[in-house]
Amino acid sequence: MLWLIAAVLAVRQTAAVLRRPPGERLTDLETWVGDNGVLHVTGSLYDTKAFTGTPFSGLVLKPLTRAAQESLGIAWTLGTLLLVVALGLVVARALPGRASRRTDLLAAPLAISLLMLSLPVRNSFSLGQTSILPVLLVLLGCFVVRGERGSGVLIGIGAALQPTVLLFAPLLWFTGRRRAAVTSVSTFGLFTALAWVVMPADSWTYWIHHVAGAGLGESADSLANQSLHGALLRAGLEGPLEIVLFLLLAAGVVFLGLRRAVRYARDGQLLLAVALTGCAAVAISPTAWQHQLLWVLLAVVGRVGTKARDRFVWPAVVVLVMTLPGKMLLPNMAVLHPVRDNALLIVALAAACGVPFLSRTSPYFARPVPTEYARPVPSRWKRVPFAPFWRRVVNRPNLLLELLVIRVGYSVYAKIRLAATGGRATAEEHGRQVHSIERALGIDIEHWANRATVKAGWAEDFFNFYYSTFHFIVPLTILGILYVRRPAQYRWARSSLGFATILALVGFWFYPLAPPRLMPGMGFIDTVHGPQDLASPDYGALTKLTNQYAAMPSLHFGWSLWCGLIILILAPKWIKPLGLLHPLFTVSAIIGTANHWVLDAVGGATVVGTGFALTYLLSGRRELLPKAVGAVKPDPFPAGEPVGKPVKSVEAAGAAGAPAPDHPGAPDPAGAAREPSP
């Protein structure tokens, strides 16, 4: 199944490039080798600042100008695909520790899938960049090529293409591979000198005038530049002060990053050491564009946390940051903009300098502290729960991971909701259908409620405020209280709310519905958003922000009903009556402000009820049996079992780049915590 997913992602990425018109695909490659590309001109490569590579990379790419444009685009795309597959296979082979055959089989397709989803690879595909090649050359030099001279040559070629790769020479030197370090520096010098002889003016421009490419291409203070230099410029620093501060910070990052990388390489985690060195190189580069940040994804192999419930936090952070835009990870709040705009850099700096990765000598490396599970109450039906592996956890989940899941989940929900537009005519037709059904049932009270709300000024102000304010505040407050006070119940409540929201998306997609306020000729007054121009198909700027036709079911009422039920079920007796007020006020607000039909509220109640039912069917009853008296937590490290021996150097792990002495480059199945999905 994982190989099938990897194949689908590869085909989709390739098709996304080849489907574009020739002038719109591989835009960077077209700028270099096209009919009017910089590699065709007789002047300098850097006159237009469109080419940002080294003179040696220009020398390597120059023969491509003789190829036919159409065939070159196809060959380049397929070649990039092969590079990604090769990179995934090398990474799977280089994982540290001892692994079962099953883990060996799963590692490669999982690595390829993550690479295909990552922003750097997607950028390299669409732009036609060469940034995957230096990463692959370094990994081949460290893990595949036998002999220090050959590995040094590959790393030196990678440095000639991307100068910050030269930072791997000190890593080789301090981990005992000194011949490879010398060879890599010599190879870099040789190819750089060759480019200097062939292209002296361009070499002077790149190495002297622009100091290893600084200032070439897009403005260095743009969000695309995820380096310390770019972050300082975005913070408002400039001139000599910024340069001095950048050099001091870069020196600190190199010192800490290399020191940590050497320690983990000697520990037998050479892939992690390579990733940390690459993250340090990203941070200290004058410009580190998005397509050059693949090193950050490799840091996912590090293991963090002594508890099984914390083991997935670091991989989740890395994967989400490397696959999703910053706007999906953090809300659009001014105070969070510095973090959102520098998310990739922050993760790279954290990996290189701060994240406490476990060493292989730690007793928790292979066996983290196990998660404590509750004893469920037997269900009324024999076949419930349908998913017996879905065990209820007693302790609360990791807060950072939970916040990320909630934020990303809501971002995905918002995007799908916005995309689920069926057209104005369809939505209005469905609105007339709903209104006809309500008239037949005698529950078409929307017009009366809307007029009554408008006539009573206090009611209009109250319902407008309630509609706009409490939709998110109350559910998040309840989830926060449950997380702190009732962690086992928090997971059950959160799952039921998630199921209800997913079911609502199905309704938005298949049944777009115009709310009363957007039904022309019916005389409804939009008290919240103000008068709408119903003659305009876009209804102004509001339609660009959210899907105006996502009315069935009403999650305004659905979420409020969920809140009310949670309060009735879990709250103390004196608070339970409050559980009735929130859904009552909400249904009055959504109808009185003409934002929903009565049947929308019925739909919201239906998806919430189904969400609770699915949670029950999959995981069983909400109630939990008390913990057994005198129960003792199992010792994750029985006496007498070895926890591993430190590796003195990379050479001790195998001169060919094997990161572990007992199994070259294989993952450890016990290192991944097998905690069930929430």
Side-chain angles (χ1 to χ4, degrees):
M1 182 60 69
L2 283 176
W3 275 114
L4 178 60
I5 293 173
V8 169
L9 291 173
V11 172
R12 182 183 181 277
Q13 189 63 260
T14 304
V17 176
L18 297 180
R19 274 199 311 239
R20 296 180 182 177
E24 298 179 8
R25 67 187 182 203
L26 305 175
T27 52
D28 283 2
L29 183 64
E30 172 69 16
T31 303
W32 303 338
V33 302
D35 293 337
N36 299 314
V38 295
L39 297 179
H40 278 286
V41 300
T42 56
S44 173
L45 293 175
Y46 308 107
D47 282 343
T48 62
K49 294 188 178 181
F51 186 76
T52 59
T54 63
F56 174 71
S57 60
L59 191 64
V60 171
L61 291 170
K62 201 142 183 107
L64 298 179
T65 57
R66 303 187 186 94
Q69 183 176 353
E70 187 71 20
S71 59
L72 176 61
I74 296 174
W76 188 278
T77 303
L78 295 178
T80 303
L81 176 62
L82 292 177
L83 290 178
V84 174
V85 172
L87 189 61
L89 294 175
V90 174
V91 167
R93 182 182 184 276
L95 292 173
R98 181 179 301 165
S100 64
R101 176 172 175 78
R102 183 181 67 175
T103 305
D104 277 339
L105 291 173
L106 296 180
L110 183 60
I112 294 172
S113 298
L114 289 178
L115 288 169
M116 288 292 176
L117 290 172
S118 67
L119 294 172
V121 169
R122 281 150 50 193
N123 266 266
S124 296
F125 264 101
S126 61
L127 299 177
Q129 279 286 349
T130 62
S131 53
I132 298 175
L133 187 57
V135 179
L136 181 59
L137 289 173
V138 170
L139 292 179
L140 289 174
C142 290
F143 299 102
V144 177
V145 175
R146 298 188 178 276
E148 292 197 34
R149 180 170 296 178
S151 61
V153 168
L154 291 179
I155 296 174
I157 295 174
L161 295 171
Q162 197 175 100
T164 50
V165 172
L166 204 60
L167 193 61
F168 285 92
L171 175 67
L172 296 172
W173 181 274
F174 291 120
T175 53
R177 301 176 68 175
R178 299 190 174 184
R179 182 176 296 178
V182 173
T183 303
S184 64
V185 174
S186 302
T187 304
F188 165 76
L190 176 63
F191 285 113
T192 301
L194 175 63
W196 199 289
V197 171
V198 178
M199 310 164 68
D202 289 332
S203 297
W204 175 272
T205 300
Y206 183 89
W207 292 108
I208 306 300
H209 183 65
H210 283 285
V211 191
L216 294 174
E218 193 174 346
S219 177
D221 63 351
S222 70
L223 295 180
N225 180 15
Q226 289 291 302
S227 70
L228 279 171
H229 179 50
L232 292 176
L233 291 175
R234 288 190 290 273
L237 298 175
E238 57 183 16
L241 175 62
E242 188 274 330
I243 294 175
V244 171
L245 185 57
F246 167 64
L247 293 177
L248 290 175
L249 291 175
V253 170
V254 169
F255 175 77
L256 291 175
L258 281 178
R259 184 179 180 183
R260 284 160 51 84
V262 170
R263 182 168 75 247
Y264 289 115
R266 290 174 175 170
D267 183 60
Q269 300 186 70
L270 183 55
L271 180 58
L272 178 60
V274 169
L276 300 190
T277 306
C279 288
V282 165
I284 67 171
S285 299
T287 53
W289 309 120
Q290 196 173 68
H291 56 82
Q292 298 171 333
L293 305 182
L294 200 53
W295 302 108
V296 182
L297 182 61
L298 300 184
V300 76
V301 299
R303 298 183 185 180
V304 184
T306 59
K307 299 178 180 179
R309 70 186 181 97
D310 298 331
R311 188 57 64 87
F312 287 114
V313 177
W314 172 249
V317 170
V318 173
V319 171
L320 290 176
V321 169
M322 292 299 294
T323 56
L324 299 177
K327 293 181 180 180
M328 292 187 66
L329 299 174
L330 293 170
N332 188 23
M333 300 170 59
V335 68
L336 297 176
H337 285 177
V339 178
R340 187 187 69 182
D341 296 342
N342 301 289
L344 288 166
L345 172 62
I346 291 172
V347 173
L349 288 173
C353 304
V355 177
F357 298 107
L358 293 174
S359 66
R360 295 187 66 213
T361 57
S362 169
Y364 301 102
F365 183 85
R367 287 173 292 179
V369 176
T371 301
E372 185 178 359
Y373 297 98
R375 299 165 59 207
V377 174
S379 299
R380 295 183 177 88
W381 292 289
K382 182 178 180 181
R383 297 187 181 277
V384 174
F386 288 163
F389 55 84
W390 186 342
R391 294 179 290 173
R392 298 281 296 280
V393 180
V394 175
N395 49 14
R396 61 182 55 88
N398 184 279
L399 180 59
L400 177 60
L401 184 59
E402 201 68 12
L403 292 175
L404 278 173
V405 169
I406 291 175
R407 171 59 193 175
V408 172
Y410 179 75
S411 297
V412 173
Y413 156 77
K415 285 188 174 294
I416 295 176
R417 174 189 166 113
L418 184 60
T421 55
R424 176 182 178 183
T426 302
E428 290 179 355
E429 176 61 28
H430 289 164
R432 286 186 284 271
Q433 290 176 4
V434 169
H435 186 244
S436 299
I437 295 173
E438 289 187 352
R439 289 182 63 183
L441 297 175
I443 58 174
D444 55 326
I445 63 172
E446 292 87 0
H447 197 275
W448 167 83
N450 183 233
R451 291 295 177 180
T453 300
V454 172
K455 289 180 181 179
W458 64 268
E460 180 179 354
D461 294 339
F462 175 74
F463 287 141
N464 288 350
F465 175 76
Y466 206 91
Y467 178 87
S468 306
T469 305
F470 291 96
H471 180 46
F472 294 106
I473 291 179
V474 178
L476 290 177
T477 301
I478 291 176
L479 286 174
I481 293 173
L482 291 179
Y483 179 86
V484 175
R485 302 294 298 272
R486 308 280 291 276
Q489 303 295 352
Y490 165 82
R491 294 175 182 267
W492 165 81
R494 181 250 282 138
S495 298
S496 61
L497 182 62
F499 283 134
T501 305
I502 293 172
L503 292 172
L505 286 177
V506 177
F508 300 157
W509 192 274
F510 289 103
Y511 198 78
L513 173 65
R517 63 185 177 84
L518 295 183
M519 290 297 294
M522 288 194 174
F524 288 100
I525 299 174
D526 188 347
T527 64
V528 177
H529 309 101
Q532 297 291 311
D533 181 12
L534 299 184
S536 170
D538 293 332
Y539 299 139
L542 190 63
T543 305
K544 299 178 182 178
L545 301 177
T546 183
N547 182 5
Q548 301 295 288
Y549 301 137
M552 171 64 80
S554 168
L555 277 187
H556 257 86
F557 178 71
W559 287 2
S560 69
L561 180 63
W562 174 88
C563 295
L565 292 174
I566 293 297
I567 292 174
L568 288 174
I569 294 172
L570 299 178
K573 290 184 178 180
W574 62 276
I575 298 180
K576 289 183 185 295
L578 297 178
L580 301 175
L581 295 180
H582 182 47
L584 177 62
F585 287 154
T586 301
V587 73
S588 301
I590 64 175
I591 295 175
T593 61
N595 275 279
H596 282 285
W597 306 94
V598 172
L599 288 181
D600 295 346
V602 175
T606 302
V607 296
V608 168
T610 308
F612 281 113
L614 284 174
T615 305
Y616 173 77
L617 291 175
L618 293 175
S619 62
R621 297 177 63 178
R622 175 188 60 82
E623 297 87 353
L624 300 173
L625 293 174
K627 190 184 300 184
V629 179
V632 180
K633 293 183 180 180
D635 184 2
F637 315 115
E641 290 198 17
V643 295
K645 298 180 180 180
V647 182
K648 297 301 182 183
S649 69
V650 177
E651 287 181 330
D662 43 17
H663 185 72
D668 192 333
R674 293 185 177 89
E675 186 169 337
S677 301

